[in-house]
Amino acid sequence: MTNSRLPGFYKLSMDERRSLTSQSSDIDRYLLDEALDHGLSAQAAQNMTENVIGRYALPFSLGLNFHINGKDFLAPMVVEEPSVIAASSNAAKIIRAGGGFQASADEPLMIAQVQLLEVTNPLLATQAIEAQKAALLRQGNEAVPGLVNRGGGCTDLEVRDLGDGMLVVHIIVDCRNAMGANLVNTVAEALATRLAQLSRGRVGLRILSNLADRRCVHVSCKIPPHALKNEDWSAEQVRDGIIDASKFAEKDPYRAATHNKGIMNGLDAVIMATGNDWRSVEAGAHAYAARNGQYAPLCTWSKDTHGNLCAAMTLPLALGTVGGPTRIHPGAKLALRISQVKDSQELAMLAASVGMASNLAALKALATTGIQKGHMALHARSVAAAAGAIDSEIEAVAGTIHAAGNVTLNAAREALNELREQELETASLRG
């Protein structure tokens, strides 16, 4: 990837977009068509989950303009909501004016939890377990030899006393490029019996924690004021409006929930495209947002001494580039190839950057024209299609109902009928 700046991409036909994507990502056009037109086979779907009766398609799009740590990325995104792609791409272009995103990711460490019940002497149990730490880690690694061969495995162990005779043992597992759920669960089950013996307690739950706070991603950006200016608002007004919106989320959990949803709009879209578990990411992100006793925004905005708009975001993000659907789902395989990330940590940095861009887009809209103006302009296309418009009719009907401020199905049907009547009259006159 040499450049994620693809001006006018949205104006191209789907065929032209595919050709440009093929050129930009050095992926054979045939492979693009196969993955995007045929995608997941019925047999592959049958092998992925239970009670399968078919497949369910969602739009596969590209987020543009992402420049992270001096490198350009196309962001594969799967999402049904209008405006998410356009908004994040536009925000990434604004952030690009300040040098793009700066990002880093922690080592891919996940937590295996083993619950121990009916522990009569928690202190002695803790001491007994900690005395056998080295042996326990060896035993854990024996359960996942493939991971150890790839440079991962069990790295540490800690014991937590939760009271009422309940201990929980955390085994820290380096999962390398896997998300790691199956690996971590395997370790937890392999060690449970021995841990119960050492604690003289009873085995409870044995499973990973989705609060993957050992595996966080950190993203920041700095935007010069001139990049925020638009026709109706000065750069300083836009900047200060975004900062005020951020402060609102910092003070009020009701606002923070919606603030964070804006982040997840972009983040989840990349996770979906790459075949990762968006439910685990959502659970971990929201738990992390409440770690200090009040639910808070994951991304905050402020200004520096030079007047630049600055953002900082940290959240747990356990993603994989191997295993799971990435083995068998053509769309997930294609998404990883398009993204050109080198490992799971770089994928986390890309996904989080898209999340930050989505957050900026939402706050910028809220602080100026309001969220509905841009969103409804794109939503109008879906309404036009639902009303029966096809091909060039979609843009014409969408433009009519959006200009009238009446983006409803009835309005779209009326506009479509009028458009077709006009076309018939024109054809009649020509005849």
Side-chain angles (χ1 to χ4, degrees):
M1 174 58 55
T2 57
N3 192 0
S4 64
R5 287 282 297 122
L6 303 177
F9 192 74
Y10 71 99
K11 297 179 181 178
L12 304 178
S13 67
M14 187 180 295
D15 183 71
E16 291 170 329
R17 290 176 196 157
R18 286 193 186 180
S19 294
L20 187 52
T21 301
S22 174
Q23 297 165 18
S24 299
S25 56
D26 195 27
I27 297 175
D28 188 271
R29 173 62 192 267
Y30 171 78
L31 295 177
L32 274 174
D33 291 341
E34 277 294 300
L36 297 176
D37 290 335
H38 303 292
L40 186 69
S41 70
Q43 185 58 50
Q46 173 76 2
N47 294 334
M48 286 179 69
T49 185
E50 307 78 38
N51 298 345
V52 173
I53 62 170
R55 294 154 293 169
Y56 185 95
L58 288 170
F60 187 116
S61 306
L62 295 181
L64 308 179
N65 306 318
F66 285 91
H67 189 69
I68 306 167
N69 295 340
K71 179 180 175 182
D72 270 25
F73 294 87
L74 290 175
M77 300 175 70
V78 169
V79 65
E80 85 296 340
E81 184 175 337
S83 78
V84 170
I85 310 297
S88 61
S89 296
N90 184 58
K93 182 180 177 182
I94 292 172
I95 292 170
R96 195 181 182 97
F101 301 87
Q102 299 300 313
S104 63
D106 298 341
E107 290 297 307
L109 302 179
M110 298 293 288
I111 298 170
Q113 288 192 302
V114 177
Q115 179 193 29
L116 300 171
L117 301 166
E118 300 172 9
V119 178
T120 57
N121 192 324
L123 178 59
L124 288 178
T126 299
Q127 292 172 345
I129 291 170
E130 290 178 343
Q132 293 297 312
K133 177 186 288 190
L136 288 164
L137 294 179
R138 283 195 300 271
Q139 184 180 344
N141 283 332
E142 289 169 2
V144 286
L147 177 60
V148 174
N149 290 337
R150 294 191 298 273
C154 303
T155 65
D156 201 1
L157 177 150
E158 61 185 25
V159 185
R160 298 169 56 220
D161 183 358
L162 301 185
D164 297 324
M166 184 188 300
L167 295 183
V168 61
V169 180
H170 285 189
I171 305 99
I172 312 304
V173 185
D174 184 336
C175 295
R176 294 291 84 198
N177 286 318
M179 181 273 177
N182 289 330
L183 295 165
V184 170
N185 293 343
T186 297
V187 168
E189 294 187 355
L191 293 180
T193 299
R194 180 57 179 152
L195 289 169
Q197 291 171 348
L198 290 168
S199 68
R200 298 187 178 183
R202 175 171 62 85
V203 173
L205 304 187
R206 297 139 290 164
I207 193 168
L208 87 162
S209 170
N210 287 126
L211 178 52
D213 57 2
R214 303 291 187 101
R215 194 176 186 175
C216 287
V217 63
H218 316 272
V219 184
S220 63
C221 71
K222 182 182 296 185
I223 305 170
H226 69 81
L228 297 167
K229 185 178 180 181
N230 63 28
E231 294 179 358
D232 301 315
W233 302 79
S234 71
E236 289 73 20
Q237 286 176 314
V238 176
R239 178 199 63 199
D240 294 345
I242 291 169
I243 294 170
D244 286 341
S246 180
K247 290 178 180 177
F248 182 10
E250 292 169 48
K251 292 177 178 293
D252 181 29
Y254 290 89
R255 172 58 206 153
T258 312
H259 180 102
N260 288 342
K261 192 272 183 181
I263 296 169
M264 305 314 287
N265 275 344
L267 189 65
D268 283 348
V270 177
I271 295 169
M272 287 276 287
T274 55
N276 275 279
D277 185 349
W278 58 269
R279 284 91 51 206
S280 71
V281 170
E282 287 269 357
H286 295 303
Y288 190 79
R291 67 193 183 280
N292 293 322
Q294 175 173 306
Y295 189 86
L298 293 164
C299 183
T300 56
W301 298 82
S302 60
K303 67 178 178 181
D304 63 16
T305 55
H306 301 288
N308 297 307
L309 178 65
C310 302
M313 180 173 72
T314 293
L315 75 158
L317 194 51
L319 302 181
T321 54
V322 299
T326 61
R327 293 175 178 168
I328 58 176
H329 197 297
K333 292 179 180 179
L334 177 66
L336 289 171
R337 287 198 63 184
I338 288 174
S339 71
Q340 298 190 3
V341 295
K342 66 179 185 293
D343 54 28
S344 63
Q345 290 167 289
E346 195 165 67
L347 176 59
M349 288 186 268
L350 172 59
S353 296
V354 178
M356 178 176 282
S358 295
N359 185 226
L360 172 62
L363 298 187
K364 183 172 180 289
L366 286 166
T368 55
T369 57
I371 202 71
Q372 287 297 82
K373 182 178 180 180
H375 178 77
M376 294 306 288
L378 295 170
H379 178 59
R381 296 172 61 199
S382 298
V383 175
I390 58 174
D391 300 329
S392 61
E393 293 176 337
I394 293 176
E395 294 297 335
V397 171
T400 298
I401 61 177
H402 180 251
N406 187 16
V407 183
T408 64
L409 191 58
N410 285 337
R413 286 171 176 158
E414 291 177 6
L416 179 60
N417 289 336
E418 290 178 5
L419 177 65
R420 289 177 174 174
E421 288 174 2
Q422 292 171 2
E423 290 175 345
L424 285 174
E425 289 178 7
T426 301
S428 176
L429 291 173
R430 287 174 179 171

